[in-house]
Amino acid sequence: MNNLLNEILDHNVKFVENHEYEKYETTKFPNKRMVILTCMDTRLLELLPKALNLGNGDAKLIKDAGGLVSHPFGSVMRSILIAVYQLQAQEVLVIAHYDCGMSGLKAEPVIESMKERGITQETIETLTYSGIDIKQWLHGFDNVNESVEHSVDIIKNHPLMPKGVPVHGLVIDPKTGKLDLVVDGYQN
Ligand SMILES: [Zn+2]
């Protein structure tokens, strides 16, 4: 584990020296005029772009645990708005996936793990008294389709979202890359 950073830095020197970056050269504006919100799952790292026929430069890509908009004024929603207003994204795709780590995730085991790693009960309680509902914050989702619909709804109806931007909702199979359509943004 201690060598991870060194491995990255060593590779990086060669990558740049060999001009391997040249085949990735593009601009900050998405060729396909879209912004995608998806999950940070490792299985989607290469699979999702391949399954959607996306190359470097084709889309703005936002990732978090679950592909969730957990707060209408959090950094995910801000990123979507920046993509739409400043970076020429004209459509939004929310792509969750089956077998997601956030599916059925309960807060309690996460909090237990935190305590095992040295976070004190006092800290948890201080946050709770400060008005942070840590259990709600850590809670995942129970149904992936409903979760996608909910995120689409938050984005679509956000007070700062311009009208006429299609917001689509999909679920991807993390093994085959097959997409299931949950919300067709052109129909809403
Ligand atoms: Zn996931």
Side-chain angles (χ1 to χ4, degrees), residues 38-44 64-67 96-103 141:
T38 189
C39 182
M40 66 184 188
D41 194 288
T42 51
R43 293 167 291 179
L44 302 181
D64 71 3
H97 68 100
Y98 300 110
D99 190 35
C100 184
M102 290 299 276
S103 177
F141 54 79

Side-chain angles (χ1 to χ4, degrees), residues 9-99:
L9 293 174
D10 287 347
H11 169 84
N12 183 254
V13 169
K14 295 183 204 115
F15 181 88
V16 176
E17 273 177 6
N18 297 336
H19 295 250
E20 287 181 48
Y21 55 85
E22 285 175 356
K23 58 177 176 281
Y24 301 105
E25 279 175 351
T26 181
T27 75
K28 64 182 178 179
F29 300 109
N31 298 326
K32 296 189 176 174
R33 300 286 180 258
M34 63 174 147
V35 53
I36 296 171
L37 168 62
T38 189
C39 182
M40 66 184 188
D41 194 288
T42 51
R43 293 167 291 179
L44 302 181
L45 183 67
E46 290 188 68
L47 179 71
L48 184 137
K50 296 288 186 209
L52 275 70
N53 190 29
L54 299 176
N56 210 41
D58 279 344
K60 308 303 282 189
L61 190 57
I62 305 162
K63 291 190 166 201
D64 71 3
L68 300 170
V69 183
S70 56
H71 194 286
F73 289 94
S75 64
V76 168
M77 191 63 225
R78 179 176 59 190
S79 300
I80 292 170
L81 290 169
I82 297 297
V84 168
Y85 283 106
Q86 294 298 110
L87 298 163
Q88 302 179 3
Q90 293 170 356
E91 306 198 19
V92 183
L93 279 78
V94 177
I95 308 179
H97 68 100
Y98 300 110
D99 190 35

Side-chain angles (χ1 to χ4, degrees), residues 123-137:
T123 298
I124 306 281
E125 283 169 11
T126 303
L127 290 170
T128 305
Y129 294 139
S130 309
I132 293 167
D133 187 344
I134 195 158
K135 285 188 179 169
Q136 178 62 35
W137 185 61

Side-chain angles (χ1 to χ4, degrees), residues 111-162:
I111 292 171
E112 281 312 308
S113 297
M114 289 172 172
K115 287 179 182 169
E116 284 166 17
R117 300 281 291 271
I119 309 302
T120 63
Q121 177 66 25
E122 190 186 6
T123 298
I124 306 281
E125 283 169 11
T126 303
L127 290 170
T128 305
Y129 294 139
S130 309
I132 293 167
D133 187 344
I134 195 158
K135 285 188 179 169
Q136 178 62 35
W137 185 61
L138 288 171
H139 182 73
F141 54 79
D142 299 317
N143 178 297
V144 69
N145 283 26
E146 285 173 16
S147 172
V148 167
E149 285 171 1
H150 182 64
S151 290
V152 166
D153 194 53
I154 290 176
I155 298 165
K156 186 90 192 162
N157 296 307
H158 196 278
L160 299 178
M161 193 71 176

